[in-house]
Amino acid sequence: LKDQLIEINQISAEYYHEQLFNEKNKRVLEYLKNRDFNEETINLFKLGFSDKNSSQLLKFLQKKKFSSEAMKQSGLFINGDKGYFDRFYSRLIFPITDINSNVIAFAGRTLDKNNQAKYINSIETPVYNKSKVFYGLNLAKKKILEEKYAILVEGYFDLMRLYQSGITNVLAISGTAFTDMHASIIKQYSSKIRIAFDGDLAGKKAAIRTGYTLLRNSVNPKIIPIPED
């Protein structure tokens, strides 16, 4: 089952990535370029797009002969009144990988300002436990060991922005609060953490909470004060 789930996620990530470069979705690519993300960064993080057709990925994967159990447990589909449909339709897609660069989950960001659910994330599955996963750890682990500290950010775009600017010892929390489990994982790579969360009140409170969780787990945290706005 786990092998099938990894394969489903891998194929889905490739599919979403191809969709991003489809001519009909060029506004999404323009959105990313307007935010100063270059194509190298977009390709490195395998960003993708799922258009407003709510069963696009489902139909694509049904041709691949995966077991119905694997399809259900992948977390990529929701069982609605009219049958199954894609969880992430009409969103910019961020694949989430494990330490070995296997795709194990996804986050989807709406580009519709009226949609209140800005981000949605994969549900937990047999291959994805969000309390044990950092976004970007597969890319950052070597640099963290070299630099002897890690920078912790809140969001996917925050991490990509630093990465594109040459700061690569950086991790992001994947759509959840920072836990003791996160602290124990981060400690395997460094006992020094710099927390760089948003400069607004919510970001400051989250940075302090995260700092206490790290202290409780014998990790030395420092908060980088980010200017508001």
Side-chain angles (χ1 to χ4, degrees):
L1 177 67
K2 285 184 176 180
D3 287 345
Q4 280 199 63
L5 292 175
I6 294 286
E7 194 178 349
I8 286 170
N9 285 329
Q10 201 68 44
I11 290 170
S12 301
E14 296 289 347
Y15 179 78
Y16 286 142
H17 188 58
E18 282 173 21
Q19 293 300 308
L20 180 62
F21 291 93
N22 190 311
E23 181 64 23
K24 67 180 179 178
N25 298 322
K26 65 180 182 184
R27 66 180 178 86
V28 186
L29 210 50
E30 281 165 10
Y31 165 82
L32 289 167
K33 288 181 176 173
N34 287 338
R35 291 194 64 161
D36 293 324
F37 289 111
N38 60 37
E39 207 156 302
E40 189 183 346
T41 301
I42 291 165
N43 287 329
L44 176 66
F45 290 96
K46 271 276 192 289
L47 295 192
F49 185 67
S50 172
D51 72 19
K52 60 181 183 292
N53 177 346
S54 65
S55 58
Q56 184 187 32
L57 180 68
L58 178 64
K59 286 174 181 166
F60 178 73
L61 285 174
Q62 279 171 335
K63 298 171 191 164
K64 301 284 182 188
K65 307 293 185 233
F66 290 109
S67 72
S68 58
E69 186 60 22
M71 292 281 279
K72 281 179 194 169
Q73 291 214 37
S74 70
L76 285 165
F77 312 105
I78 294 170
N79 191 2
D81 297 337
K82 296 177 181 175
Y84 285 93
F85 62 92
D86 295 359
R87 179 179 297 277
F88 293 106
Y89 74 91
S90 201
R91 286 177 182 267
L92 180 65
I93 304 292
F94 300 84
I96 295 165
T97 61
D98 65 13
I99 191 72
N100 300 313
S101 299
N102 297 309
V103 180
I104 53 170
F106 297 90
R109 186 194 196 280
T110 184
L111 301 181
D112 176 4
K113 291 184 173 69
N114 300 318
N115 190 331
Q116 290 183 325
K118 190 174 178 182
Y119 281 94
I120 58 171
N121 294 282
S122 287
I123 57 167
E124 299 217 336
T125 71
V127 296
Y128 175 58
N129 178 336
K130 62 188 177 186
S131 296
K132 294 180 178 177
V133 173
F134 286 104
Y135 182 66
L137 180 56
N138 60 315
L139 297 172
K141 57 188 178 184
K142 189 176 168 206
K143 197 67 177 174
I144 292 168
L145 292 168
E146 280 175 19
E147 298 280 349
K148 298 186 170 55
Y149 74 97
I151 300 165
L152 186 65
V153 297
E154 282 183 281
Y156 308 103
F157 277 143
D158 300 335
L159 182 139
M160 287 168 56
R161 170 72 59 230
L162 289 179
Y163 220 91
Q164 188 170 285
S165 302
I167 301 166
T168 58
N169 55 327
V170 57
L171 304 169
I173 309 166
S174 173
T176 183
F178 190 86
T179 64
D180 289 318
M181 183 65 77
H182 282 124
S184 68
I185 291 166
I186 222 167
K187 200 160 66 168
Q188 295 170 37
Y189 298 91
S190 178
S191 59
K192 292 179 182 174
I193 308 299
R194 307 287 180 265
I195 303 166
F197 289 178
D198 290 351
D200 59 13
L201 187 61
K204 287 172 184 170
K205 284 181 174 175
I208 292 165
R209 272 198 311 274
T210 299
Y212 279 125
T213 303
L214 287 162
L215 283 170
R216 197 166 59 237
N217 287 277
S218 307
V219 181
N220 173 24
K222 289 186 177 176
I223 294 173
I224 300 169
I226 305 289
E228 200 145 351
D229 299 323

